[in-house]
Structure formats: structure tokens, C-alpha cells
């Protein structure tokens, strides 16, 4: 396969904006650059590797904005080898030692175990999760605004599901495993396009919790808000278990698409990967999203340990743990991230792949309850002619979540179970 190396230089290349971004370059090689900077070029030549230079990201506009420059997005590049080859052992480590290089790493495959859902019929619907977080109180004030946009960065969405028809206003598929060993993968794994169809149901389940119409399930948390379906994970099967899997670095363009193209107000990421070396996964691009006042909500993980999963463990991200419908923290909730709060995440009924429904459990299910709640708060503020910032959102969650014990903050539950009645009372008072 043609290996890639992603690296950030300390200064931007001259004429860097003239370079194509790597996604466009794969399909159109009319603009070619084969040199990066002398020391990197020398190491690559010594290894017998010829490469093309591309940009890792597209600028938000005609040129880089101040946040892109501050975070080094403008000076992040991707080297694409011109021939199928493996990277020599230690090459990336040697590139990292070059003074002009701030960070470098090869491509990594990340996988996320997917909760095993129980496909169900209407007769088995329960209606307790919304009551646990006092959602009816919030819905009496607002069910959201179509101007408030929630990006679901996941396995895609069942685009024609009756619960989600008319809700999805942005579609993008960033999964492309061309050239990789795709043993065990099923379904669509090649080619960037605007058809993020969900083959395994995970992203559809998440999207239903956020915005379902309420035909054969509870109405979503923020049913009047707009959904952006951004597929970054393909489906991989190992034995009887399914995983969402993809190239870690290829998730980043999906996040930037949510910010720059969809103009999301909230991003939900019911996924998480471990840090295995080098820069923290998604760090620059998550900071970019936060700098544009996008609230990033992420699952904390499902192994019940203090393991850190990213992006949930990144600063500024609203990490969410799972709780049962009686408010107890689920034993599977990972607590390495700085958990902000918990939300219902056990036996949650929602839309699923192929126009079906299913129950599923996990912090993946808890996260969209909070993402939808944040969207409701932003919608309510917008309806009052106001705008909520990320610090304001975090302050509301800290002050109004129901504590699970006498401590202000609990390691496994954060500030407690989200309480939308108290959140909206506090918000209404704050906006007066």
C-alpha cells in the first residue's frame, strides 16, 4: 500500500496554499510537489522513498484564519509515498528529531467496540430515559431550532430512516481504506463521497436519541435541530463482534468538515481511541472546533477503567459517562477522562440500521443525550436573541447536574446526572 506520513512543521511552507489537500490529490494529481524541506527530503531519499507533498487540511476560507494559524493547522502536511511500501522501522522517529519538525506520525488504525444491540419492536419501548433527565420540562420551552446544527461523527446514518427524514441537512463520508489490509471489514470502505450510509446501526442509534421524530420511539432530545451525518468509521467484524474502525488521522478532516462546512454548533463523538504515542489524537483539530465556539461532546469509554479515550479525554471536551434509569453510574463507564456529567446509557431504545429499531447500552448512548441537551440550550438562547459560549455551557452543566453523593465532583460521574429542569431554570435566569 502507499503509506502516508502526517507531520507538522514549525513554519508554513512557501506556497503551501497552492498545494492540494490530500483527499483531492488522491483523485487529481495535476499539481505535484515532491520536496518538503531539506532534512526530511534527505531522510526519505536515504530510505529510498519517493513521495508527494499535500496539505492535511483545507482552509476554512480562501486563506487560513487566525485559529488555523495559531494551532498549526496551516503547517500540517501529509506525505504520500509514490510506491507501495512499508515505512522503515524508526523512520518516523528520526523525522520527529529534525528541528524544523514539530510532530510526525504514520497512519494508525483505530477501532471502537460497538455495543451489541437487541433489535426490538414497538411493543418493547420504554419511556423512562427522557423522564430521568426532565426532558419534558425543557421541551415545554423549546424543542430546538433548525438553525442549531449537531454533527454526528460516527458510522454514518440510515439516511432514509423514517425517524430521521427531513432532519439530515449535511452528509459526508470520510472513510477511505484504499491500500490498507481490509480483512474483516464489511460494506463501504473506499472513496470519499456524500453518502454516509450506516451499515451497522451505531450512528443511526445515536442520531435517533438526538433528533428522532417520535414515530415508533420517544421523540429525540432536540427534534427541531438539524443533523449533520459525517461518517468516519467503517464496520469491521471479528468473530461475532462488530467494531467501528478507521484511520485515526482521517477522522480529523471529518471534524474540520463539521466546523467549516456544516457550521456545527455541537459535535457528538460517540467514539474514543487510546493514545499510543506521539501527539494526542485529534488534539489540534478539537482545539480548533472549540475555538470556533463548537461544543464537543464525547463518550468517555466502556471498559470501566481509568483508561483515557480520545477525544473525550482532551481539554475542553464535554466527556459523558453512562447511568442507569435510576441514576446509578454504569459499571462499564470509563473514567480516565475528566467526566463532566452522566446521562442515561443503559437499554436505550432508538432508531437503527435498515429502518429498524434497537436497544443498546454504552457511553455512546449517553453522549447524545448531552449533545442534544446542549443543542436545546443553544436553541433557547438563540430564541432569546443570545448566544451561549462553551464556558457558559460547561458552567450550566456543573451547577445543575444532580450530584450522586456529597462531593462536588465524583471521579466516575463528574458533576452528576444531567437535569434539564434545573438547567433551563438556571439558563432562563441567566439570560434575564
Amino acid at each position: 500500500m502507499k503509506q502516508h506520513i502526517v507531520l507538522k512543521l514549525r513554519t508554513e511552507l512557501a506556497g503551501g496554499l497552492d498545494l492540494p489537500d490530500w483527499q483531492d490529490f488522491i483523485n487529481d494529481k495535476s499539481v505535484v510537489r515532491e520536496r518538503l524541506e531539506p532534512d526530511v527530503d534527505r531522510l526519505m531519499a536515504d530510505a529510498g522513498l519517493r513521495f508527494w507533498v499535500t496539505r492535511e487540511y483545507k482552509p476554512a476560507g480562501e486563506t487560513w484564519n487566525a485559529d488555523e494559524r495559531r494551532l498549526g493547522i496551516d503547517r500540517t502536511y501529509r506525505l504520500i509515498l509514490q510506491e507501495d511500501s512499508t515505512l522503515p522501522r524508526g523512520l518516523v522517529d528520526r523525522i520527529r528529531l529534525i528541528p524544523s519538525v514539530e510532530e510526525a506520525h504514520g497512519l494508525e488504525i483505530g477501532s471502537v467496540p460497538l455495543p451489541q444491540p437487541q433489535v426490538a419492536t414497538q411493543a418493547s419501548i420504554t419511556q423512562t430515559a427522557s423522564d430521568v433527565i426532565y426532558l419534558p420540562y425543557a421541551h415545554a420551552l423549546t424543542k430546538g431550532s433548525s438553525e442549531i446544527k449537531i454533527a454526528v461523527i460516527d458510522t454514518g446514518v440510515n439516511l432514509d430512516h423514517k425517524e430521521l427524514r427531513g432532519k439530515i441537512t449535511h452528509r459526508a463520508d470520510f472513510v477511505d481504506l484504499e491500500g490498507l489490509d481490509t480483512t474483516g471489514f464489511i460494506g463501504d470502505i473506499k472513496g470519499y463521497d456524500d453518502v454516509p450510509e450506516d451499515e451497522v446501526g451505531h450512528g443511526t442509534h445515536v442520531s435517533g436519541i438526538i433528533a428522532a421524530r417520535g414515530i415508533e420511539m420517544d421523540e429525540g432530545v432536540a427534534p427541531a435541530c438539524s443533523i449533520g451525518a459525517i461518517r468516519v468509521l467503517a464496520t469491521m467484524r471479528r468473530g461475532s463482534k462488530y467494531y467501528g474502525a478507521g484511520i485515526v488521522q482521517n477522522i480529523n478532516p471529518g471534524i474540520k468538515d463539521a466546523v467549516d462546512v456544516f457550521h456545527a454548533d455541537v459535535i457528538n463523538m460517540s467514539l474514543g481511541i487510546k493514545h499510543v504515542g506521539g501527539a494526542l489524537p485529534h488534539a489540534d483539530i478539537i482545539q480548533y472546533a472549540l475555538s470556533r465556539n463548537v461544543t464537543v461532546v464525547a463518550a468517555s469509554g466502556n471498559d470501566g477503567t481509568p483508561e483515557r479515550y480520545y477525544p473525550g479525554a482532551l481539554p475542553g471536551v464535554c466527556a459523558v459517562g453512562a447511568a442507569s434509569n435510576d441514576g446509578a453510574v454504569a459499571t462499564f463507564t470509563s473514567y480516565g477522562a475528566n467526566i463532566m456529567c452522566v446521562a442515561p446509557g443503559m437499554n436505550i431504545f432508538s432508531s437503527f440500521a435498515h429502518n429498524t429499531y434497537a436497544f443498546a447500552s454504552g457511553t455512546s448512548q449517553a453522549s447524545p443525550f448531552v449533545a442534544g441537551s446542549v443543542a436545546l440550550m443553544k436553541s433557547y438562547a438563540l430564541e432569546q436573541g443570545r448566544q451561549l459560549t462553551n464556558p457558559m455551557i460547561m458552567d450550566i452543566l456543573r451547577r445543575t447536574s444532580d450530584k450522586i453523593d456529597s462531593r462536588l465532583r465524583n471521579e466516575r460521574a463528574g458533576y452528576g446526572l444531567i437535569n434539564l429542569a434545573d438547567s433551563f431554570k438556571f439558563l432562563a435566569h441567566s439570560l434575564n
Side-chain angles (χ1 to χ4, degrees), residues 317-328:
V317 174
C318 180
V320 181
S324 63
N325 286 339
D326 62 5

Side-chain angles (χ1 to χ4, degrees), residues 112-155:
V112 182
L114 301 178
Q116 299 301 300
Q118 175 187 349
V119 178
T121 64
Q122 185 177 4
S124 59
I125 295 178
T126 60
Q127 299 184 3
T128 55
S130 61
D131 295 328
V132 167
I133 62 172
Y134 299 98
L135 181 59
Y137 185 98
H139 276 183
L141 298 174
T142 182
K143 290 193 175 183
S145 165
S146 61
E147 295 182 49
I148 298 298
K149 302 176 180 181
I150 309 165
V152 177
I153 298 181
D154 212 294
T155 60

Side-chain angles (χ1 to χ4, degrees), residues 194-321:
D194 60 357
V195 187
E197 188 64 42
D198 184 11
E199 295 149 340
V200 72
H202 189 266
T204 304
H205 203 269
V206 166
S207 298
I209 294 169
I210 293 173
R213 296 169 64 191
I215 297 172
E216 293 187 28
M217 60 175 285
D218 282 356
E219 194 172 34
V221 177
C225 290
S226 301
I227 294 290
I230 301 176
R231 183 173 180 257
V232 297
L233 297 176
T235 305
M236 181 172 62
R237 182 167 53 204
R238 296 176 185 164
S240 62
K241 293 186 178 181
Y242 289 88
Y243 295 77
I247 298 172
V248 173
Q249 291 74 22
N250 291 7
I251 295 174
N252 295 338
I255 300 171
K256 198 162 193 296
D257 177 85
V259 178
D260 292 343
V261 181
F262 182 44
H263 303 296
D265 298 280
V266 183
I267 291 175
N268 184 83
M269 297 185 71
S270 289
L271 56 88
I273 60 171
K274 297 179 182 180
H275 178 219
V276 294
L280 294 176
H282 320 305
D284 287 346
I285 205 64
I286 289 293
Q287 284 304 308
Y288 175 67
L290 297 173
S291 75
R292 310 304 284 180
N293 201 39
V294 180
T295 305
V296 181
V297 182
S300 70
N302 295 318
D303 64 6
T305 74
E307 182 71 59
R308 294 182 178 180
Y309 291 92
Y310 296 87
L314 289 172
V317 174
C318 180
V320 181

Side-chain angles (χ1 to χ4, degrees), residues 155-160 173 188 195-199 231 354:
T155 60
V157 176
N158 183 176
L159 299 172
D160 195 41
D173 184 351
D188 178 15
V195 187
E197 188 64 42
D198 184 11
E199 295 149 340
R231 183 173 180 257
H354 313 301

Side-chain angles (χ1 to χ4, degrees), residues 140-141 337 363 365:
L141 298 174
T363 57
Q365 281 59 50

